[in-house]
Amino acid sequence: MDFKIMKILQPLSIILMLAFAVPVTQAATCATTDVTVEGINAFACKTHPGENDTGYAKDINGDFNLDTSIIWDGIVKSDDPGSTLMFDEANKTWAITDAISAPFVVVIKASNDFASYLFTLPEVAKTGTFSLIFSHVTGNGQTKFHGLSHISIYTTSNGAGNPVPLPAALWLFAPALLGFLGFRRKNKV
């Protein structure tokens, strides 16, 4: 199909999907393609239906099965006064004025739900997109859509105060290397 036609049909298909209440991605499900950073999909995602993201930094390692020594000490929220993080819900884009470095977690929050997305790439990021639509079915069977409350980005300063653990193979390799050096020294004498 011609690229120009696809570019025209894509917004039209989104409008039709919303108009006819076709099932959409909800906070109860997520996909790594829901959020992108500099054109790269998330490494992993996790949903949190019925939860608030306040204090989420302490739960990130468990959500994504990460090393517990990683400390998520940076947070930028789009709804904080003077925030450098902004989003455009109509165009499904977000941007941050100060570049962030991987790894980082992007949190999309609406109503009483949020979804988190772990990124290990790109190394430096300033812009992204999102396609997650928050909704729920009311008691009378109607689908109710929720606008975004805010976007948060959690970063880590891993490296400044947190040493990177050595791989287990190094502990096996180091004694062998020392043995070879000792053997070489012995042969020289």
Side-chain angles (χ1 to χ4, degrees):
M1 186 177 273
D2 186 42
F3 180 76
K4 291 179 184 178
I5 294 172
M6 286 177 49
K7 198 166 187 162
I8 293 169
L9 290 178
Q10 185 178 14
L12 182 61
S13 67
I14 292 171
I15 291 168
L16 289 173
M17 180 179 70
L18 291 175
F20 293 103
V22 173
V24 295
T25 303
Q26 300 179 11
T29 62
C30 68
T32 56
T33 56
D34 290 338
V35 177
T36 66
V37 174
E38 305 294 342
I40 298 173
N41 294 335
F43 178 75
C45 66
K46 173 85 170 145
T47 57
H48 300 270
E51 295 182 31
N52 195 325
D53 65 330
T54 301
Y56 178 61
K58 66 181 176 14
D59 299 326
I60 292 173
N61 292 338
D63 277 358
F64 296 110
N65 298 318
L66 300 174
D67 187 330
T68 57
S69 68
I70 298 173
I71 299 171
W72 298 91
D73 51 3
I75 180 173
V76 179
K77 290 179 77 170
S78 62
D79 61 349
D80 283 347
S83 177
T84 59
L85 174 61
M86 297 143 285
F87 70 90
D88 180 347
E89 190 165 8
N91 292 313
K92 304 287 189 205
T93 60
W94 62 268
I96 187 166
T97 53
D98 300 323
I100 52 176
S101 299
F104 55 88
V105 174
V106 176
V107 171
I108 309 288
K109 171 85 166 88
S111 187
N112 293 325
D113 304 320
F114 75 93
S116 54
Y117 299 83
L118 173 65
F119 286 87
T120 57
L121 292 172
E123 289 185 23
V124 178
K126 290 184 86 171
T127 62
T129 63
F130 58 92
S131 61
L132 186 66
I133 299 172
F134 290 88
S135 66
H136 74 273
V137 178
T138 63
N140 61 4
Q142 298 292 318
T143 300
K144 182 175 180 182
F145 296 95
H146 301 284
L148 254 57
S149 164
H150 63 268
I151 295 177
S152 302
I153 297 179
Y154 293 84
T155 59
T156 178
S157 60
N158 203 27
N162 303 325
V164 176
L166 293 174
L170 185 61
W171 297 115
L172 297 172
F173 178 72
L177 183 61
L178 291 173
F180 283 127
L181 291 174
F183 181 72
R184 183 176 172 204
R185 190 173 189 198
K186 184 179 177 183
N187 285 342
K188 281 187 176 180
V189 175

